[in-house]
Amino acid sequence: MPPGEARPVVSDIAARLERLPMSGYQRRIFAIIASAWLVDQIDVALLTFLLGSIVVAFGLSPTEAGQLAAMTFAGQLVGNIIAGTASDRFGRKAVFQVTMVVWGLASLAAAAAWSLPVLMACRFLIGVGVGGEAPVAQAMVSEIVPAPVRGKYIAILEGFWAVGYVLSGAISFFVLPYLGWRWAFVVVGLLALVVLVVRRAMPESPRWLAEAGRHAEAEAVMATMERAVVRATGRPLPPVTPQIAASVAPGAPAPRLSAVATLFAPGYRLRTVMAFGLWFFALIGFFGLNSWIAVLLKERGFSIVGSVGFVTLITLGGIPGFATAALLLERIGRKPTTALFLVCAAAAAYLYGNAAGETWLFVSGFVMQFFMFGMWSCLYAYTPELYPTRARATGAGFASAFGRIGAILGPMIVPVLVRDYGPATAFQVGAGGFLIAAALVLTLGVETRGKVLEAVSH
């Protein structure tokens, strides 16, 4: 079909998606994506709680421990780029399935690792799978959920990171003393196999199918969704309003660019600079802190199991954090909410690093996790909205990949700073990263709250 004829099909699918009321059907699709995301995050967070035991088991130096932590982020960088671009080319559903197979099998293999190089290779593959899933999940949720609640649902999706972090700590807390660190990897690997079966029920994105020129398939999936929403609500579908029709109407014809080239086209260039910088500085702060937080607690006199329990408890602060972010993203907008959580995370990180006693250590740590996990919700809600369907997962993947560079550097820089200047320095570096990220959002960011995706990308 010629490009001029294809655009009305794309606009029609977008308009029909946006007019759908949020129902139990879309929530079931969301639950499928979220369940996989939850188990992913359990696996990513696992090393935070197991690192102390692994250091003892393999006799690792601080530098080797930092390199092991960095391997997960190196894998995520590769997965972000490969799966993001593959998802824009081959579709959301197939790539989503492959990513889970990769990290699930790698987690089981990590349980049998007999040396540091083998364990590093397994953590790299876990990172590839988990990192690959992130941009696909963001794109899928943003393309199915209607604009008025889109930010809230993506923020809730990312909130499963906080739940996964807590569950990862709980698994480690109960498994470590009795079975050892290897069995924690086994438990997570088996969870991945269970979720893989559930995930098969997820449909392909009709927005992507229409954009890819697969119009018959897009119509079939769209019709199935419409029938399912009618059954779920028990009411006829509302008509496409003039406002929705106008917001998804095709703009002036433009040269057809590749997904990667689109990121740097004049209309998206500043968004890309902002998104890449936001992810880089936010993640250098977050992972610079969290990859070493249990080790730093151990240096303050906590046992391995005691430090795991302490980190698990303060991480509970992340659950109300992402819930609050989900509310504010739709109430006051993406830019102010993202900047607010970054600035408050910086302040809390500084206070945590300078806390005197265990009480203040817990209070400041709880508040720090509240804002840091809320920050994650903002990043994942905001990024996929910045790009058109043909480059949405690619943009989210590349931005996340820049974040992984920060995540790699953070755990490697922190031990050097801790050695030379003391543990509080790690938290000062984290605070600085958050403040730079906030400045980028405020100066270069665009507001996307309540706007249909096609309107944002015109």
Side-chain angles (χ1 to χ4, degrees):
M1 181 180 289
E5 298 177 27
R7 299 314 303 170
V9 176
V10 175
S11 298
D12 175 67
I13 291 294
R16 290 161 66 187
L17 275 167
E18 290 297 333
R19 63 90 179 256
L20 294 179
M22 197 65 188
S23 70
Y25 173 72
Q26 293 106 313
R27 292 188 187 97
R28 282 194 296 274
I29 296 175
F30 175 79
I32 292 171
I33 300 171
S35 64
W37 188 250
L38 172 66
V39 181
D40 281 3
Q41 306 321 311
I42 292 174
D43 207 351
V44 170
L46 207 56
L47 194 63
T48 298
F49 302 100
L50 302 184
L51 187 59
S53 295
I54 293 172
V55 165
V56 173
F58 288 108
L60 305 183
S61 67
T63 300
E64 290 172 326
Q67 291 170 346
L68 175 60
M71 291 308 294
T72 305
F73 309 124
Q76 286 180 307
L77 188 157
V78 173
N80 288 153
I81 294 174
I82 292 177
T85 53
S87 174
D88 282 334
R89 182 171 182 180
F90 302 112
R92 315 302 191 210
K93 183 176 180 178
V95 177
F96 203 47
Q97 290 284 68
V98 170
T99 58
M100 174 154 271
V101 172
V102 170
W103 72 257
L105 293 178
S107 186
L108 292 173
W114 58 87
S115 67
L116 177 61
V118 173
L119 184 57
M120 290 174 72
C122 291
R123 288 301 297 182
F124 178 83
L125 289 175
I126 289 171
V128 170
V130 173
E133 180 165 14
V136 186
Q138 293 174 65
M140 192 69 182
V141 174
S142 66
E143 289 169 1
I144 287 180
V145 176
V149 292
R150 184 180 63 234
K152 180 177 77 171
Y153 272 86
I154 300 180
I156 292 172
L157 174 70
E158 178 49 30
F160 279 84
W161 171 285
V163 179
Y165 220 94
V166 172
L167 290 177
S168 184
I171 290 170
S172 302
F173 186 78
F174 290 108
V175 171
L176 266 177
Y178 306 104
L179 299 174
W181 61 269
R182 295 181 185 275
W183 277 97
F185 281 117
V186 172
V187 170
V188 176
L190 293 177
L191 284 174
L193 298 179
V194 173
V195 175
L196 179 64
V197 176
V198 175
R199 192 190 276 190
R200 294 175 63 185
M202 188 184 77
E204 182 56 272
S205 165
R207 262 189 169 104
W208 179 84
L209 288 168
E211 185 71 36
R214 294 161 59 174
H215 301 130
E217 294 174 73
E219 174 60 35
V221 174
M222 191 68 245
T224 299
M225 292 181 68
E226 288 171 332
R227 289 192 296 270
V229 171
V230 168
R231 288 195 300 270
T233 61
R235 297 189 300 272
L237 294 176
V240 175
T241 65
Q243 291 84 358
I244 291 177
S247 65
V248 302
R256 184 75 175 183
L257 302 174
S258 69
V260 175
T262 298
L263 307 186
F264 302 97
Y268 299 102
R269 198 173 293 147
L270 288 179
R271 299 184 188 189
T272 296
V273 171
M274 184 276 296
F276 287 13
L278 167 63
W279 277 81
F280 176 82
F281 287 107
L283 267 65
I284 200 172
F286 182 89
F287 285 106
L289 299 178
N290 275 287
S291 291
W292 282 89
I293 198 168
V295 176
L296 293 174
L297 284 171
K298 186 171 179 291
E299 291 183 0
R300 288 201 178 195
F302 286 78
S303 67
I304 291 177
V305 175
S307 64
V308 167
F310 189 90
V311 174
T312 303
L313 287 174
I314 65 172
T315 304
L316 287 171
I319 297 175
F322 84 77
T324 304
L327 177 66
L328 293 179
L329 283 166
E330 298 296 0
R331 289 283 182 88
I332 66 173
R334 314 304 197 238
K335 281 183 64 174
T337 303
T338 303
L340 173 66
F341 273 77
L342 284 164
V343 170
C344 291
Y350 181 83
L351 292 174
Y352 183 85
N354 293 277
E358 287 189 17
T359 300
W360 282 112
L361 196 66
F362 177 82
V363 171
S364 58
F366 189 91
V367 173
M368 178 179 71
Q369 299 290 11
F370 176 98
F371 287 110
M372 288 202 302
F373 280 99
M375 170 203 77
W376 276 105
S377 291
C378 297
L379 264 61
Y380 276 97
Y382 192 27
T383 307
E385 297 177 335
L386 299 172
Y387 299 105
T389 300
R390 66 181 180 275
R392 182 162 296 119
T394 300
F398 270 77
S400 185
F402 266 78
R404 305 309 160 187
I405 296 173
I408 292 167
L409 293 176
M412 298 177 73
I413 293 171
V414 165
V416 177
L417 295 175
V418 169
R419 181 194 64 200
D420 294 342
Y421 302 104
T425 312
F427 299 92
Q428 293 165 7
V429 170
F434 295 146
L435 290 175
I436 295 172
L440 286 169
V441 173
L442 291 173
T443 55
L444 299 178
V446 296
E447 186 53 67
T448 59
R449 178 174 68 98
K451 296 180 181 179
V452 173
L453 292 173
E454 286 72 18
V456 177
S457 63
H458 285 172

